[in-house]
């Protein structure tokens, strides 16, 4: 009953929001190519949308490295400008430093804290500004909000970061310490000059991904990219990263309301959750933080979802009017005329059950960690192996073994994307597959999913990769989450140092997968895969223990996964009822 | 027989164009953001696609629309790069000065002659170049080829300009001296920064912007002050500002370079394409290596391929040709020098209505002769229900036709955003549009070449506009628009030349010549030929405010009373370039 009531509240909130839309005034005034000076004299360019009437308005700032008039499908930042200008806001869409019409050099997020601060304070001095500034945007456009907020610009009143990156060793460019090769090459190429770069479209990347050393793969692709090399030359969480990687205590001084949005299939979910957890735990404004997690991919978190992702299907109310949600937030926290938005602390959409649930905390206080233990008779290799998962810890059981050849990695493309049927991957002999019995009643999880693995290898460094899926009664093995979990062995003791293995010694690896909100329905099974690669998404570990950026050697690794009384490898689920 | 054979040859050519596909073992190499220094030290950025590690003939594309240009939501240059690299060419795609990743400040074409020269010569010095350079591209990317060629860079071997502009008082930003208001605002906004602009205009209330005066401030009403917009609207005669970028007979006499010119019957830059074509055909030492293709295409389709329909017109599938394949044939001979001589006809034109390709040894065809259709009426030609007719001989004494032109209620230049090949009857129903329609044709009238109207008209204003639009009236009644805009226009103050402004004496009858562009079309038996005469086509052209004041700063609006004469003394007429009828079996059975 309580959940049904929550759904009804959401319905009411939405109809209130729709009422705002009705007050829209179509008169909008535009200022294109407006230039604001930063503290070092570099000028950044913005397009500005204003209500046509003379006046001073609360202002919403967008800072974008993808061009200030970026479009996504049928959606564009210009529409955001119009939408809010019609509702009494000024909207500023700015090219970040070195991109689009802005001067200077692009250097990832490293100038965005100061540039964000300077832009906010510049806005507050404009004749069309009433001095109150908020921020909006997705992905890069969201991370810049956190970076600006940490500088505490006096005129910044609230932020609405959707799907921000921010956990640089658990997300991009490193995840579990492993390098996101495909993302790094394409994203950095895409931002390697002022204008948008699409020159790699359709390129045959296969020979390029085989190029070693990794450090010069950029030239094999088409150009030397300084940022790519900087990323690779900083393979630990060092001062290079700490300039932008928030520390837990940073949140203590961020006293701002924030609307956090991410998705179960959002590649930047780790960053979004990092900021959410930090603010919920430490910010003086903890009671003005709001979280929405939907069944959405990265861009959908901002432009709206769809009724299916891969093989997963969702209810109609999984698609929300994201602009109206932002409007309700800004009407109260920025313009100050609207009522409290009445958002629950956290609103998450449980896939499988296909309904929204509201919680006072996230992860939900009522979520309990439960473990599904790996079992087998010693041959869990592939779909036809004997691996299973059960709630009972293992006793005396033989270990599972597979051979990992980095020249023949498991394909991150064969997995087919979010919600895809994983069976093509699970047919490989170098993929261990563990499947539970069919569930007698639904099992709902909400929160972080992890795997604890006891493993041995015969090389000084290697990777371990896990993937969670929901096996439907018809046999489909539907991928869950925004990515596979991975740990690069040398980072098992932390990302701030590289510690090679002693070949043959068993180690315990804690592998973060991601947050999931899902009901495994009755009759379904829970499955995990364990393997050692996910390429070209992640660079295949060459198993040598050499420095990754310059390594040109390749070794084959022989992996042993243990599941016995002393070494109980397990899948850890946050179960709610 | 000859023409039927022609049709077969073209079909074969089209099939062979489709055939080239990427060799499977192609190992294309890319170089991104390669920077070339110009003579003034400014660096321009290019992406380069190479077949491998050798030295290759290079094809240069210079674009203000960014190396990342998307066509139909797909980036066009990576595919073009892979295509030409797999056929043994280097493809160099460069952002022009001030655009994309290139440094400097964008200033229309005014730096492109020198930047083009410098880039061609820079390419020739690269280790991946064999020293032979060609150019290709459409629109702006076409015009820069002529500007580079005009500087005669030693390593430039041939060019393939598609739909290049080139006549700046009679194409863009002015046509017949009338200001192309919508184009100027949108295009200049779109090039007002390094990055692509334009999505910033989504949702803008254009009618509100276009209604403001003075015109010179419409840029700020839209969203920003644009120096180029103000330069354009201030340089309102064919003066030294424009002559820097208009090629003359003198230029063409020195241009000894093979060129493939492509344009379309619905291409707004057809005037420039044919300006260059005619200049080369008449003057160039390389007149024998000039080739022309005109299809039933709009501006973009001239490069990316057409469609089998345009508005309410339909075409045969062979009207769509493989553009890259055509370019490859041209470059294989004139740039790579390996292929056998091109057996192309001098000019290939697709005649709409007839729906056949025609080949000619010269263009406009020598066989075409001017025939006039005279305007006639009993003095009430207004609208579709009026009594205006078109007749093959000048009428005797006839009353004039009159209409009122209110620039604040102008005739639309499009219907729901469409203009080419559309049924114009909704416009022809207006009372301020005079409509003259021929009798039903007993046999087809095939025209190919420039179409003009000679109009004898008086106005009670010191300046005004006269417009003309040609339509083909099908047996089912639809009146389908022909020509590039499709409406042609003359601003009265420019009636004696685009290089000077001369106001008119209210009430005096003047002769106006209105250019309706080149048209290749057959009005089939059973069809009628219809001409509209009016005074505006909004928002393509700014409505003449009828004051005679300087256009850029004018804030007054007058209503003009217009009088169109059509009698022995003032024989207003439509002049058609008629190609003699061929034996009926050659007409494709189109005469039903």
């Amino acid at each position: 009953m309580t959940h049904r009531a929550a759904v009804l509240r959401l319905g009411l909130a939405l109809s209130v929001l729709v009422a705002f839309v009705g007050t829209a005034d179509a008169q909008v005034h535009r200022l294109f190519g407006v230039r604001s000076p930063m503290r070092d004299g570099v000028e950044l360019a913005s397009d500005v949308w204003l209500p046509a009437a003379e006046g001073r308005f609360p202002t919403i700032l967008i800072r974008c490295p993808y061009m200030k008039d970026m479009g996504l499908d049928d959606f564009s930042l210009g529409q955001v400008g119009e939408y809010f200008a019609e509702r009494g806001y000024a909207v500023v869409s700015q090219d970040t430093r070195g991109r689009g019409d802005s001067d200077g050099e692009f250097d990832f997020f490293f100038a965005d804290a100061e540039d964000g601060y300077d832009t906010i304070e510049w806005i507050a001095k404009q004749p069309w500004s009433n001095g109150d500034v908020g921020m909006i945007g997705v992905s890069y456009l969201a991370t810049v909000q956190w970076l600006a907020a940490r500088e505490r610009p006096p005129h910044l009143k609230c932020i609405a970061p959707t799907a921000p990156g921010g956990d640089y060793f658990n997300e991009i460019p490193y995840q579990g310490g492993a390098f996101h090769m495909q993302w790094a090459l394409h994203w950095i190429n895409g931002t390697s000059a002022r204008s948008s770069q699409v020159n790699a479209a359709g390129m045959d990347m296969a020979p390029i991904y085989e190029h070693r050393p990794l450090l010069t793969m950029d030239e094999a692709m088409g150009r030397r990219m300084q940022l790519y090399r900087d990323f690779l030359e900083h393979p630990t969480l060092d001062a290079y990263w700490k300039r932008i990687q928030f520390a837990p205590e940073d949140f203590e001084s961020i006293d701002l309301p924030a609307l956090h949005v991410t998705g179960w299939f959002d590649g930047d979910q780790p960053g979004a959750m990092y900021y959410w957890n930090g603010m919920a735990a430490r910010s003086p404004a903890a009671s003005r933080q709001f979280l929405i997690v939907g069944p959405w991919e990265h861009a959908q978190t901002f432009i709206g979802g769809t009724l299916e992702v891969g093989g997963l299907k969702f209810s109609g109310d999984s698609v929300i009017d994201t602009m109206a949600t932002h409007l309700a937030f800004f009407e109260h926290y920025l313009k100050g005329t609207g009522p409290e938005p009445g958002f629950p602390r956290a609103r998450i959409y449980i896939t499988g059950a296909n309904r929204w649930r509201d919680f006072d905390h996230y992860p939900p206080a009522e979520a309990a960690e439960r473990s599904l233990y790996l079992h087998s008779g010693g041959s869990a290799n592939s779909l036809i192996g004997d691996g299973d998962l059960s709630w009972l810890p293992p006793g005396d059981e033989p270990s599972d073994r597979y051979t990992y050849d980095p020249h023949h990695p498991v394909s991150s493309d064969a997995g087919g994307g979010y919600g895809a049927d994983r069976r093509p991957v699970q047919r490989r002999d170098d993929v261990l597959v563990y499947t539970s019995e069919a569930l007698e009643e639904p099992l709902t999880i909400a929160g972080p999913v992890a795997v604890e693995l006891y493993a041995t290898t015969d090389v000084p460094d290697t990777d371990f990769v896990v993937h969670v899926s929901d096996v439907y009664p018809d046999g489909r093995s539907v991928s869950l989450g925004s990515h596979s979990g991975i740990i690069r062995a040398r980072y098992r003791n932390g990302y701030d140092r590289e510690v090679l293995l002693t070949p043959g010694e068993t180690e315990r690896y804690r592998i973060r997968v991601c947050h999931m909100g899902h009901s495994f329905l009755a009759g379904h099974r829970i499955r995990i895969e364990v393997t050692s690669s996910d390429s070209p998404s992640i660079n295949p570990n060459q198993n040598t223990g050499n420095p990754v950026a310059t390594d040109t050697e390749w070794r084959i690794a022989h992996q042993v996964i243990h599941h016995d009384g002393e070494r109980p490898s397990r899948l850890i689920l946050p179960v709610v009822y | 027989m000859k023409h039927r054979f022609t049709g077969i040859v073209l079909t074969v050519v089209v099939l062979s164009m489709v055939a080239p596909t990427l060799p499977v073992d192609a190992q294309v190499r890319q170089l991104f953001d390669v920077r070339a220094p110009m003579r003034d030290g400014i660096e321009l950025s290019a992406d380069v696609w190479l077949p491998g590690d050798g030295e290759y003939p290079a094809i240069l594309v210079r674009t203000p629309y960014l190396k990342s240009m998307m066509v139909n939501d797909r980036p066009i240059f990576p595919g073009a790069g892979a295509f030409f690299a797999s056929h043994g060419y280097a493809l160099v795609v460069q952002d022009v000065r001030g655009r994309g990743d290139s440094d400097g400040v964008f200033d229309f074409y005014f730096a492109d002659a020198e930047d083009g020269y410098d880039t061609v010569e820079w390419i020739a010095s690269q280790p991946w170049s064999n020293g032979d350079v060609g150019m290709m591209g459409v629109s702006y990317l076409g015009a820069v080829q002529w500007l580079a060629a005009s500087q005669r860079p030693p390593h430039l071997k041939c060019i393939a300009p598609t739909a290049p502009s080139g006549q700046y008082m009679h194409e863009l930003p002015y046509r017949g001296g009338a200001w192309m208001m919508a184009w100027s605002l949108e295009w200049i906004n779109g090039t007002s920064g390094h990055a692509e602009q334009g999505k910033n205009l989504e949702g803008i209330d254009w009618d509100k912007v276009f209604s403001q005066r003075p015109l010179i401030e419409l840029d700020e009403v839209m969203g920003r002050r644009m120096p180029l917009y103000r330069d354009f609207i201030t340089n309102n005669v064919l003066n030294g500002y424009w002559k820097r970028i208009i090629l003359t007979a003198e230029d063409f006499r020195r241009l000894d370079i093979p060129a493939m010119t492509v344009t379309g019957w619905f291409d707004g830059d057809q005037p420039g394409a044919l300006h260059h074509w005619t200049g080369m055909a008449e003057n160039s030492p390389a007149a024998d290596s000039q080739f022309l293709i005109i299809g039933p295409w709009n501006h973009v389709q001239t490069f990316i391929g057409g469609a089998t329909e345009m508005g309410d017109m339909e075409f045969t599938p062979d009207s769509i040709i493989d553009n890259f394949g055509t370019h490859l044939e041209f470059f294989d001979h004139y740039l790579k020098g390996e292929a056998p001589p091109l057996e192309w006809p001098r000019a290939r034109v697709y005649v709409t209505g007839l729906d056949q390709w025609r080949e000619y040894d010269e263009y406009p065809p020598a066989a075409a002769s001017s025939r006039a259709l005279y305007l006639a009426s009993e003095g009430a030609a207004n609208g579709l229900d009026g009594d205006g007719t078109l007749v093959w001989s000048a009428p005797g004494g006839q009353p004039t036709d009159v209409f009122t032109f209110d620039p604040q209620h102008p005739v639309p230049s499009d219907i729901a955003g469409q203009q080419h090949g559309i049924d114009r009857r909704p416009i022809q129903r207006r009372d301020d549009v005079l409509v003259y329609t021929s009798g039903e044709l007993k046999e087809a009238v095939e025209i190919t070449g420039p179409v003009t109207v000679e109009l004898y008209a008086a106005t009670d204003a010191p300046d005004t506009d006269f417009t003309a639009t040609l339509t083909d009236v099908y047996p089912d009644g639809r009146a389908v628009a022909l020509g590039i805009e499709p409406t042609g226009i003359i601003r009265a103050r420019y009636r004696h030349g685009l290089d000077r402004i001369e106001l008119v004496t209210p009430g005096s009858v003047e002769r106006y010549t209105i250019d309706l562009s080149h048209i290749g079309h057959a009005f089939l038996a059973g069809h009628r030929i219809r001409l509209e005469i009016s005074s505006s086509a909004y928002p393509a052209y700014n409505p003449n405010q009828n004051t005679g004041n300087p256009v850029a700063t004018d804030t007054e609006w007058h209503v003009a009373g217009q009088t169109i004469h059509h009698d022995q003394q003032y024989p207003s007429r439509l002049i058609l370039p008629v190609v003699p009828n061929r034996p009926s079996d050659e007409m494709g059975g189109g005469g039903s």
Side-chain angles (χ1 to χ4, degrees):
Chain A
M1 279 308 289
T2 51
H3 302 308
R4 180 162 297 164
V7 172
L8 283 176
R9 268 209 307 280
L10 183 70
L12 287 175
L14 285 179
S15 51
V16 170
L17 299 175
V18 171
F20 281 115
V21 177
T23 66
D25 171 2
Q27 300 293 305
V28 174
H29 184 58
R30 293 163 170 78
L31 305 173
F32 296 151
V34 179
R35 303 187 74 80
S36 16
M38 301 295 102
R39 62 189 70 180
D40 62 356
V42 166
E43 285 187 351
L44 307 192
S46 301
D47 290 343
V48 181
W49 286 259
L50 301 171
E54 292 286 316
R56 293 172 173 273
F57 309 100
T59 303
I60 299 171
L61 170 62
I62 302 167
R63 302 192 64 250
C64 182
Y66 306 122
M67 309 296 113
K68 55 185 161 20
D69 62 348
M70 175 182 70
L72 281 169
D73 298 334
D74 294 332
F75 184 88
S76 73
L77 294 179
Q79 288 170 28
V80 178
E82 261 193 274
Y83 179 91
F84 285 103
E86 287 171 352
R87 290 162 179 79
Y89 297 85
V91 177
V92 176
S93 181
Q94 183 182 64
D95 286 327
T96 57
R97 178 177 291 247
R99 298 286 294 153
D101 300 330
S102 289
D103 296 337
E105 295 280 325
F106 179 73
D107 189 27
F108 203 49
F109 291 118
F110 298 116
D112 285 317
E114 294 180 349
D115 287 351
Y117 181 103
D118 291 354
T119 302
I120 288 160
E121 295 307 306
W122 171 86
I123 286 172
K125 286 191 227 121
Q126 299 307 302
W128 37 261
S129 162
N130 75 355
D132 293 330
V133 183
M135 294 182 80
I136 191 173
V138 58
S139 192
Y140 194 107
L141 296 62
T143 305
V144 295
Q145 300 177 43
W146 287 113
L147 290 163
R150 191 172 62 167
E151 301 298 305
R152 291 189 288 166
H155 292 89
L156 183 62
K157 303 304 178 199
C158 59
I159 60 176
T162 298
D167 196 356
Y168 301 99
F169 276 75
N170 282 306
E171 183 177 29
I172 46 108
Y174 292 98
Q175 182 193 337
F179 189 60
H180 268 280
M181 172 174 74
Q182 183 175 37
W183 174 86
L185 279 175
H186 283 95
W187 191 86
I188 299 172
N189 181 59
T191 53
S192 279
R194 296 180 73 136
S195 68
S196 61
Q197 313 281 309
V198 298
N199 38 31
M203 185 184 286
D204 178 8
M205 292 297 294
I208 293 163
Y209 290 139
E210 283 167 20
H211 175 92
R212 291 294 179 282
L214 209 50
L215 191 64
T216 55
M217 196 180 281
D218 55 352
E219 283 186 328
M221 182 186 186
R223 71 175 114 198
R224 185 186 172 99
M225 303 189 295
Q226 191 55 47
L227 196 55
Y228 174 84
R229 296 185 180 208
D230 290 348
F231 283 5
L232 271 173
E233 284 169 352
H234 293 279
T236 57
L237 187 51
D238 61 9
Y240 176 85
W241 295 110
K242 285 179 179 166
R243 291 179 290 164
I244 54 172
Q245 176 65 60
F246 278 32
E249 52 274 21
D250 286 336
F251 295 104
E252 290 164 8
S253 59
I254 302 177
D255 186 9
L256 284 178
L259 175 66
H260 305 244
V261 184
T262 180
W264 302 128
F265 312 103
D266 169 19
D268 279 334
Q269 187 209 77
M273 290 299 185
Y274 185 84
Y275 292 117
W276 163 260
N277 287 332
M279 290 296 280
R282 303 217 184 204
S283 168
S287 66
R288 289 169 285 148
Q289 306 299 306
F290 306 98
L291 176 68
I292 302 175
V293 189
W296 306 319
E297 299 176 13
H298 189 51
Q300 290 176 339
T301 55
F302 196 64
I303 67 174
T306 51
L307 294 182
E308 54 190 285
V309 167
L312 292 163
K313 292 183 168 46
F314 315 122
S315 53
D317 69 351
S318 71
V319 182
I320 69 168
D321 179 344
T322 53
M323 283 304 101
T325 307
H326 281 85
L327 183 64
F329 177 77
F330 286 129
E331 287 286 296
H332 182 70
Y333 288 110
L334 182 56
K335 197 190 266 180
T337 57
E340 282 196 42
F343 296 156
R345 179 71 50 240
R347 173 171 296 167
I348 70 175
Y349 186 87
I350 305 292
T351 57
N354 283 353
R355 63 178 194 202
W356 289 97
R357 287 183 64 169
D358 290 353
F359 292 102
D360 294 333
H361 300 272
Y362 184 87
E366 57 266 54
E369 220 177 62
R370 290 194 61 195
S371 295
L372 269 171
Y373 293 92
L374 280 60
H375 298 272
S376 81
S379 51
N381 310 66
S382 92
L383 263 183
I384 56 168
D386 62 3
D388 66 68
L389 288 175
S390 85
W391 302 110
L392 299 173
D396 210 14
E397 283 181 18
S399 303
D400 289 307
R401 296 162 189 276
Y402 63 95
T403 300
Y404 161 48
D405 178 356
H407 277 304
H408 296 98
V410 174
S411 167
S412 49
D413 298 329
Y418 307 118
D421 186 348
R422 298 280 304 174
R423 284 178 295 180
V425 168
Q426 294 164 356
R427 293 201 173 90
R428 290 176 63 116
D429 222 38
D430 56 357
V431 176
L432 305 181
V433 176
Y434 302 90
T435 310
S436 76
E437 292 295 303
L439 298 170
E440 284 170 10
E441 55 184 33
L443 179 82
T444 299
I445 59 173
V449 173
V451 171
E452 211 169 73
L453 214 57
Y454 290 86
T456 311
T457 180
D458 61 353
V459 292
D461 185 42
T462 194
D463 291 348
F464 291 101
V465 175
V466 298
H467 202 99
V468 178
S469 57
D470 177 340
V471 183
Y472 281 44
D474 64 6
R476 281 178 295 149
S477 183
V478 173
S479 169
L480 298 178
S482 57
H483 47 253
S484 299
I486 187 165
I487 184 73
R488 182 148 289 179
R490 67 178 73 186
Y491 297 103
R492 67 197 177 286
N493 298 329
Y495 298 125
D496 54 346
R497 57 195 182 278
E498 301 179 54
V499 183
L500 297 183
L501 298 166
T502 304
E505 278 190 8
T506 299
E507 299 275 352
R508 189 182 69 164
Y509 299 95
R510 173 102 182 176
I511 306 177
R512 298 167 48 145
V513 184
C514 59
H515 287 248
M516 296 183 189
H518 182 69
S519 284
F520 297 90
L521 300 180
H524 289 226
R525 300 163 190 264
I526 301 167
R527 176 175 292 167
I528 69 164
E529 301 153 31
V530 177
T531 187
S532 286
S533 54
D534 191 31
S535 171
S537 176
I538 302 284
N539 79 297
N541 197 314
Q542 290 164 235
N543 299 322
T544 62
N546 295 332
V548 171
T550 53
D551 197 6
T552 55
E553 291 178 70
W554 300 78
R555 285 182 63 178
I556 290 175
H558 300 91
Q559 323 286 45
V560 185
I561 304 298
H562 306 281
H563 40 81
D564 53 36
E566 287 186 4
R567 297 172 296 186
S569 295
R570 59 193 179 121
L571 166 65
I572 303 161
L573 297 172
V575 177
V576 293
Y577 295 95
Chain B
M1 278 308 290
K2 181 171 181 289
H3 300 298
R4 176 168 292 168
F5 178 67
T6 296
I8 291 168
V9 169
L10 188 73
T11 306
V12 172
V13 170
V14 169
L15 288 176
S16 69
M17 287 170 182
V18 176
T21 49
L22 304 188
V24 285
D25 58 347
Q27 190 56 63
V28 177
R29 195 158 69 89
Q30 296 88 4
L31 305 173
F32 296 149
D33 192 22
V34 181
R35 304 189 76 81
M38 300 295 102
R39 64 189 68 181
D40 61 355
I42 292 287
E43 285 187 352
L44 307 191
S45 168
D47 289 343
V48 180
W49 284 263
L50 299 171
D53 293 326
E55 298 179 355
Y56 308 98
I59 300 169
L60 169 63
V61 176
R62 303 190 63 248
T63 180
Y65 305 124
L66 311 200
K67 305 187 293 293
S68 59
M69 184 172 73
M70 312 284 276
V71 175
N72 297 333
D73 291 331
R74 293 169 59 93
I76 185 169
F77 292 120
F83 177 85
F84 285 103
S86 70
H87 288 95
Y89 296 90
L91 184 73
V92 180
V93 182
Q94 184 186 60
D95 287 328
V96 300
R97 180 176 290 247
R99 295 285 294 153
D101 304 326
S102 289
D103 296 336
V105 176
F106 179 73
D107 189 28
F108 203 48
Y109 291 117
F110 299 117
D112 284 317
E114 295 180 347
D115 287 349
Y117 180 103
D118 292 353
T119 303
V120 168
E121 295 306 304
W122 169 86
I123 287 173
S125 71
Q126 297 306 300
W128 38 262
S129 162
N130 74 354
D132 293 330
V133 182
M135 294 181 77
M136 71 183 283
V138 58
S139 191
Y140 194 107
L141 296 62
V144 294
Q145 299 176 48
W146 287 114
L147 290 165
S150 74
Q151 305 298 301
R152 293 184 293 162
H155 293 90
L156 184 62
K157 302 304 178 200
C158 59
I159 59 176
T162 298
S165 60
Q167 294 200 61
Y168 300 101
M169 287 301 294
H170 190 48
E171 182 176 19
L172 58 86
Y174 296 91
R175 189 168 296 166
W179 175 241
M180 299 188 74
M181 176 171 63
W183 177 85
S184 298
L185 284 171
E186 282 196 74
W187 192 86
I188 300 171
N189 177 63
T191 53
S192 286
H194 276 271
E196 192 188 358
Q197 320 280 317
K199 291 201 188 76
N200 51 20
L201 294 174
E202 276 182 8
I204 197 167
D205 182 351
W206 279 116
D207 283 326
K208 182 175 168 233
V209 173
F210 292 148
S211 70
Q212 308 292 306
R213 291 296 178 275
L215 277 176
I216 197 168
E217 291 174 9
L218 287 200
D219 56 351
E220 285 188 328
V221 174
M222 176 187 69
R224 69 174 118 203
R225 187 184 177 99
M226 305 190 296
L228 199 54
Y229 176 87
R230 297 189 176 211
D231 289 349
F232 282 7
I233 203 166
T234 308
N235 288 285
N236 59 356
V237 290
L238 189 52
N239 61 12
Y241 179 84
W242 296 112
K243 286 177 179 170
R244 292 180 288 166
I245 54 171
I246 299 176
L247 271 66
T248 62
E250 184 69 19
D251 292 316
F252 293 119
R253 272 195 284 279
R254 296 182 301 137
L255 267 182
D256 187 8
I257 192 166
M260 176 177 94
T261 295
V262 184
T263 179
W265 301 128
F266 307 101
D267 169 19
D269 279 333
Q270 186 207 77
L274 294 178
H275 169 77
H276 294 111
W277 162 261
T278 306
M280 290 297 279
E282 291 178 353
N283 301 291
S284 169
D288 285 348
S289 46
Q290 305 298 307
F291 303 96
L292 177 66
I293 303 174
I294 311 179
W297 307 319
N298 66 26
H299 187 54
V300 174
Q301 289 175 337
T302 56
F303 195 66
I304 65 165
T308 52
E309 56 188 57
M310 178 75 71
D312 290 290
M313 301 179 79
E314 293 183 356
F315 315 123
T316 47
D318 73 348
S319 70
I320 303 169
I321 69 170
D322 172 1
N323 289 280
F324 281 180
T326 310
H327 280 80
L328 188 63
E329 279 191 80
F330 177 78
F331 287 129
D332 277 353
H333 180 67
Y334 286 108
L335 182 56
K336 199 189 271 180
E338 286 176 357
L342 276 187
E343 292 184 3
W344 285 2
R346 180 72 51 240
R348 281 178 267 181
V349 304
Y350 183 92
V351 179
T352 58
L354 190 64
D355 286 340
Q356 281 185 21
W357 287 94
R358 296 280 200 207
E359 298 187 354
Y360 292 107
D361 296 333
E362 51 190 320
Y363 183 90
S369 57
S370 290
R371 285 193 65 192
L373 268 169
Y374 293 88
L375 281 60
S377 83
E378 292 306 317
N382 309 63
L384 206 46
D385 298 328
D387 60 7
T389 60
L390 289 174
V391 295
W392 291 108
S393 54
Q398 279 207 325
T400 56
D401 288 308
V402 297
F403 66 96
T404 300
F405 164 43
D406 178 354
Q408 289 180 301
H409 295 94
V411 177
S413 51
D414 60 78
I415 298 175
Q418 301 299 307
Q419 54 190 151
H420 297 129
I422 57 167
D423 182 356
R424 284 184 57 93
R425 283 177 297 179
I427 290 170
Q428 293 168 350
R429 291 198 176 94
R430 290 174 63 111
D431 219 38
D432 55 358
V433 176
L434 304 182
V435 175
Y436 302 91
T437 310
S438 76
E440 213 172 83
L441 299 174
K442 294 200 171 61
E443 55 181 23
V445 174
E446 180 178 340
I447 63 172
T448 298
V451 176
T452 56
V453 168
E454 256 176 34
L455 199 67
Y456 291 88
T459 177
D460 61 4
D463 184 44
T464 193
D465 290 348
F466 290 103
T467 61
T469 311
L470 181 63
T471 56
D472 177 343
V473 183
Y474 282 44
D476 65 7
R478 75 196 127 125
V480 164
L482 302 174
I484 61 170
E485 192 50 50
T487 300
I489 191 166
I490 183 71
R491 181 147 291 179
R493 65 178 70 186
Y494 297 102
R495 68 197 176 286
H496 295 140
L498 297 168
D499 56 347
R500 55 193 183 277
I501 292 174
E502 291 176 39
L503 299 184
V504 296
T505 304
S508 73
V509 180
E510 301 273 349
R511 191 180 74 163
Y512 298 96
T513 302
I514 305 173
D515 175 7
L516 291 184
S517 78
H518 285 239
I519 295 173
H521 181 73
F523 299 90
L524 301 180
H527 289 225
R528 300 161 190 266
I529 300 170
R530 177 176 292 163
L531 183 70
E532 299 164 30
I533 300 293
S534 191
S535 285
S536 53
Y538 162 94
Y541 312 109
N542 77 297
N544 196 311
Q545 289 163 238
N546 300 321
T547 62
N549 296 332
V551 171
T553 53
D554 198 5
T555 55
E556 291 178 71
W557 301 81
H558 288 181
V559 172
Q562 320 287 46
T563 306
I564 305 300
H565 296 261
H566 41 78
D567 54 28
Q568 292 288 343
Q569 187 186 357
Y570 299 123
S572 294
R573 58 193 186 141
L574 166 68
I575 302 167
L576 299 172
V578 176
V579 176
N581 275 345
R582 302 155 200 271
S584 58
D585 69 332
E586 300 294 346
M587 296 300 294
S592 65

